[in-house]
Amino acid sequence: FLLFDRILPPQFVEKCASPVINIHPSILPSFKGLKVVDKAIKYGVKFTGVTVHIVNAELDGGPIIMQSIIPVPQKTKSYTDLQEIFRKHFILMSTQVLYWYKENRINVSARTVEVKDAQFHPSVFYPNLEPHVISACGINNFYG
């Protein structure tokens, strides 16, 4: 898993064991690169979010495994105002994806990622978080 506030050189990614997974603080493909939460807030978005994706040669362009939605309250000025909410999403989503990989439930074909037996109902998290992951992380309130 990568969660860096920098862009890594392709040589680094090529030398890593596959797959390399990134947790990106936006709903990709919008707002790629660095400092994206502040860019999204400045742009005036009403929702932002988190994307977990497989790293490929294109900056923030790999196949998407999971996404979540985070509302942006009107008085939000910067990432700092949303930092605790993002932290909760990062923990929950990385734990969920690790469970799926451990259970060999993720299948990637070109740009399509399928998660065996995952639930795909409209939710804050898509695919949905599984109850045992929420329980294991001890986070029940995503926004408070």
Side-chain angles (χ1 to χ4, degrees):
F1 270 97
L2 301 176
L3 180 58
F4 295 112
D5 196 15
R6 66 189 56 176
I7 298 170
L8 299 173
Q11 301 87 338
F12 177 86
V13 176
E14 289 169 6
K15 291 182 180 184
C16 290
S18 184
V20 176
I21 298 171
N22 185 38
I23 302 175
H24 184 77
S26 81
I27 301 171
L28 291 174
S30 298
F31 301 102
K32 295 180 178 185
L34 303 174
K35 310 283 186 215
V36 296
V37 177
D38 289 334
K39 290 177 188 175
I41 291 167
K42 188 173 184 176
Y43 190 82
V45 299
K46 306 302 180 212
F47 294 91
T48 187
V50 176
T51 301
V52 179
H53 69 95
I54 297 170
V55 174
N56 66 6
E58 180 187 346
L59 176 65
D60 294 326
I64 294 170
I65 300 169
M66 182 179 204
Q67 292 181 302
S68 71
I69 297 169
I70 298 173
V72 179
Q74 211 168 15
K75 295 183 181 187
T76 303
K77 300 293 182 207
S78 73
Y79 172 72
T80 305
D81 298 334
L82 300 173
Q83 191 169 1
E84 182 60 22
I85 296 167
F86 272 94
R87 185 187 71 77
K88 291 176 183 179
H89 282 235
F90 292 158
I91 291 168
L92 288 161
M93 294 171 75
S94 61
T95 303
Q96 181 65 74
V97 171
L98 282 171
Y99 270 102
W100 287 335
Y101 265 103
K102 179 183 170 208
E103 296 168 353
N104 201 29
R105 293 172 51 192
I106 295 178
N107 183 35
V108 181
S109 176
R111 291 221 39 89
T112 303
V113 176
E114 293 181 26
V115 182
K116 183 180 177 194
D117 299 325
Q119 299 296 311
F120 291 87
H121 302 291
S123 170
V124 171
F125 298 92
Y126 193 83
N128 307 128
L129 292 172
E130 295 172 357
H132 65 280
V133 169
I134 297 170
S135 176
C137 292
I139 299 173
N140 295 312
N141 183 356
F142 309 128
Y143 300 115

